[in-house]
């Protein structure tokens, strides 16, 4: 299983590696990347999304195998250390990376995500979405997610952003949807992984997030020893909704990490 990576900016410095949300791909970071022209940034297509093929393993990918695929792609590109920023599913992959490849991480940003495992009902819902995606619905299985991904402010005042997210959802590959839902359903609690990390960190929560709660963010921030940055006027996809605020926060993290 491989993860395709996209380089931006001048190579040679320690990069910022961006890990996208479910069921999107590296394109969700385009606005943030455009606002950080001096950074070396690597945007990842996680397995099953964007230019990355779905896992050939009949069991599908796990968050751990996705993390290993990212680590391998970076190592093959000559990158042995980076600041990682993961939004939602990207955050789950970043936490699996922190568990399995801690030596690669010089800074960590977790946006709109959680370190807790899913309760049983949420797991069941994920498995049902996986079945729907592989059945007759295809990408239609995730179409209604737009209401949860963008906040009320975006729905009311940024119709083009909401329309873009709907387009991305309609393009989501069914195998990617199914594999990622099963992978997320199986993820363990990773608060202890965060407690053991001794790197500069950032935790970002959109005030209108309908999928990850303030408590989810407080608990991660407590383990990392930082305060939560709350972004008003943003929902779950804060990096797409308010990219300027997210870019400033990531640039500050890069500075704190010494890059
Ligand atoms: C995401 O945005 O990546 C998803 O909401 C993650 C999830 O379903 O937990």
């Amino acid at each position: 299983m491989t993860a395709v990576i996209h380089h931006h900016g001048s190579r040679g410095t320690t990069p910022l590696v961006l890990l996208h949300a479910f069921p999107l791909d590296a394109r969700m970071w385009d606005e943030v990347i455009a606002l950080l022209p001096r950074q070396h940034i690597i945007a990842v297509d996680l397995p099953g999304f964007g230019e990355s093929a779905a896992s050939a393993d009949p069991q599908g990918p796990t968050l751990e195998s996705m993390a290993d695929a990212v680590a391998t792609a970076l190592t093959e590109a000559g990158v042995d250390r980076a600041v990682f920023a993961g939004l939602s599913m990207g955050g789950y992959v970043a936490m699996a990376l922190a568990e399995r490849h801690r030596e690669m991480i010089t800074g960590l940003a977790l946006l709109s995500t959680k370190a807790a495992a899913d309760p049983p009902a949420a797991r069941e819902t994920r498995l049902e979405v996986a079945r729907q995606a592989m059945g007759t619905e295809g990408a239609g299985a995730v179409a209604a997610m737009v209401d949860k991904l963008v906040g009320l402010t975006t729905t009311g005042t940024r119709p083009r952003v909401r329309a873009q997210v709907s387009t991305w959802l309609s393009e989501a590959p069914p195998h990617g949807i199914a594999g990622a839902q099963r992978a997320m359903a199986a993820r363990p609690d990773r608060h202890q992984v965060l407690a053991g990390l001794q790197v500069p960190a950032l935790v970002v929560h959109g005030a209108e997030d309908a999928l990850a709660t303030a408590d989810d963010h407080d608990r991660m921030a407590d383990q990392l020893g930082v305060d939560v940055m709350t972004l008003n006027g943003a929902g779950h996809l804060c990096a797409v909704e308010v990219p300027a605020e997210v870019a400033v926060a990531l640039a500050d993290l890069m500075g704190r990490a010494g890059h």
Side-chain angles (χ1 to χ4, degrees):
M1 189 170 54
T2 53
V4 172
I5 61 174
H6 306 274
H7 288 270
H8 302 267
S10 56
R11 299 193 194 196
T13 54
T14 303
L16 170 64
V17 175
L18 301 175
L19 302 167
H20 62 81
F22 170 88
L24 308 182
D25 56 47
R27 292 175 296 169
M28 68 154 267
W29 295 105
D30 283 353
E31 297 282 326
V32 169
I33 293 167
L35 291 161
L36 296 171
R38 286 206 295 270
Q39 302 280 4
H40 176 195
I41 297 181
I42 295 176
V44 176
D45 281 332
L46 291 169
F49 298 98
E51 295 176 25
S52 293
S55 168
D57 182 339
Q59 300 303 315
T62 59
L63 292 173
E64 293 75 22
S65 66
M66 288 194 194
D68 292 349
V70 173
T72 300
L74 293 173
T75 303
E76 285 174 0
V79 172
D80 54 8
R81 284 154 74 79
V83 172
F84 289 84
L87 192 146
S88 199
M89 180 176 75
Y92 307 154
V93 174
M95 287 183 258
L97 265 155
E99 185 174 75
R100 299 163 72 82
H101 303 280
R102 182 182 302 194
E103 70 291 347
M104 295 188 89
I105 299 186
T106 62
L108 179 67
L110 296 172
L111 307 94
S112 311
T113 191
K114 56 187 89 158
D118 279 345
R123 254 181 244 149
E124 277 312 310
T125 303
R126 290 193 190 282
L127 299 180
E128 178 55 24
V129 172
R131 280 190 288 271
Q132 289 169 358
M134 294 309 292
T136 52
E137 292 204 34
V142 292
M145 269 188 85
V146 66
D147 289 330
K148 298 239 167 79
L149 289 178
V150 302
L152 290 176
T153 301
T154 295
T155 294
T157 65
R158 306 176 193 110
R160 267 187 291 184
V161 171
R162 188 183 158 94
Q164 175 65 81
V165 172
S166 283
T167 300
W168 287 335
L169 291 174
S170 72
E171 294 168 357
H175 275 95
I177 294 172
Q181 283 290 24
R182 294 191 190 109
M184 290 190 285
R187 75 185 192 282
D189 185 293
R190 287 204 160 95
H191 285 99
Q192 282 311 310
V193 174
L194 300 184
L197 268 188
Q198 303 291 330
V199 297
L202 169 70
V203 175
V204 177
H205 180 220
E208 301 172 9
D209 190 337
L211 290 170
T213 67
D215 185 57
D216 291 327
H217 291 82
D218 286 343
R219 292 182 64 201
M220 293 188 297
D222 280 352
Q223 301 297 336
L224 290 163
V226 296
D227 292 329
V228 176
M229 175 182 287
T230 302
L231 298 179
N232 292 323
H236 192 64
L237 284 185
C238 57
V240 178
E241 297 174 74
V242 290
E245 283 89 334
V246 170
V248 168
L250 292 174
D252 177 72
L253 176 64
M254 289 297 280
R256 285 191 281 130
H259 309 312

